Amino acid sequence: MNGIFDIYTILFLVLAVVIFLRLRSVLGRRTGNERQPYDPFSAPKESGSAASDKVVNLPPRAESGTSRANAANDDFGDIAPRGSDLAQGLSAIRQTDPTFEPKGFVEGARMAYEMIVTAFADGDRKMLKTLLSREVYDGFVGAIADREGRGETATSNFVSIDKADITEAQLRGRNAHVTVRFVSQLITATRDKDGAVIQGDPNAVTEVTDIWTFARDVGSRDPNWKLVATESAD
């Protein structure tokens, strides 16, 4: 009986270890260094699991061989006329970073634009820190602190982003800079500490035009693009 008991005990222990290893392979182990700052311009990781509300899947990047071929013929379709300054700037970036694709970048920029505007209205400093350069982050956080100090709250709801066009692209040393002109339809409102609307209109849609510049060090392993400059065209 003891022999049989020992055998079954060993079998259960082996089964428990197998189940543990399978669960660990599926769920992973937290080490505190699992996840890099969110990069809306990077290719999505292949996964069958549902994404969280702050994870955005982007179109996959083209293979590097295809990217090099496209860089050679300097053809960016309707994004930039062949031979234009914009096309040359995009080509210079893609020759340095073969994974760079303007169309995928624009899709990522649209998502980043909405996330940044919403995070600013919500006072979400953690989200902003992953998407903004230090200088822009300091400006945004300063404005949030001033608003909070006055007891004001802000809301921004996107109706649509009508346009997102690359207007300028440059490779400055190791740093790629891409400027995008956004035209969006927004419902925005700022309320004082008593809840009275002091700016905007919670019931009206407003067209907003912004010109934002994103940058990244193409020589770095960090794939993240950061917002480095903002300008309102209104």
Side-chain angles (χ1 to χ4, degrees):
M1 291 296 292
N2 289 337
I4 296 176
F5 176 77
D6 290 340
I7 291 174
Y8 280 116
T9 301
I10 292 172
L11 287 177
F12 281 123
L13 287 174
V14 170
L15 180 60
V17 171
V18 170
I19 293 173
F20 170 75
L21 291 175
R22 288 180 64 87
L23 286 173
R24 186 174 67 171
S25 68
V26 174
L27 300 178
R29 291 175 296 175
R30 296 189 62 83
T31 65
N33 299 310
E34 299 87 350
R35 193 170 181 180
Q36 297 296 324
Y38 174 75
D39 175 20
F41 305 98
S42 66
K45 295 182 180 180
E46 294 181 0
S47 173
S49 61
S52 70
D53 58 351
K54 289 187 178 180
V55 176
V56 183
N57 290 327
L58 300 184
R61 291 176 175 176
E63 296 296 330
S64 59
T66 302
S67 297
R68 292 191 183 95
N70 288 341
N73 62 33
D74 197 28
D75 184 3
F76 297 97
D78 57 356
I79 292 179
R82 184 189 294 270
S84 65
D85 290 343
L86 177 56
Q88 292 178 23
L90 293 172
S91 181
I93 295 173
R94 193 158 65 180
Q95 287 179 27
T96 305
D97 177 10
T99 65
F100 174 73
E101 285 298 333
K103 288 186 178 180
F105 178 91
V106 169
E107 289 302 311
R110 291 169 67 98
M111 297 174 192
Y113 176 67
E114 182 170 352
M115 292 173 70
I116 291 170
V117 170
T118 302
F120 176 71
D122 294 342
D124 188 345
R125 293 169 174 82
K126 184 177 180 180
M127 176 61 72
L128 292 174
K129 193 171 186 178
T130 67
L131 298 171
L132 311 181
S133 68
R134 174 64 65 85
E135 294 78 9
V136 176
Y137 175 77
D138 289 344
F140 275 44
V141 168
I144 292 172
D146 289 343
R147 186 177 68 207
E148 292 174 343
R150 295 189 298 268
E152 298 171 358
T153 57
T155 57
S156 287
N157 297 313
F158 274 85
V159 176
S160 64
I161 299 178
D162 298 338
K163 293 182 180 180
D165 301 319
I166 297 177
T167 60
E168 187 176 355
Q170 293 181 339
L171 184 63
R172 306 174 187 172
R174 293 173 17 134
N175 294 311
H177 290 252
V178 181
T179 300
V180 182
R181 181 177 182 271
F182 299 97
V183 179
S184 61
Q185 304 293 326
L186 283 169
I187 299 175
T188 63
T190 301
R191 301 176 185 271
D192 63 18
K193 59 183 179 180
D194 297 320
V197 177
I198 58 175
Q199 186 177 357
D201 187 339
N203 300 310
V205 178
T206 303
E207 182 176 282
V208 178
T209 301
D210 288 303
I211 300 172
W212 286 11
T213 299
F214 300 89
R216 71 173 290 262
D217 182 349
V218 294
S220 170
R221 288 188 174 185
D222 184 357
N224 296 335
W225 290 80
K226 298 291 181 73
L227 177 64
V228 298
T230 64
E231 178 184 350
S232 176
D234 295 335

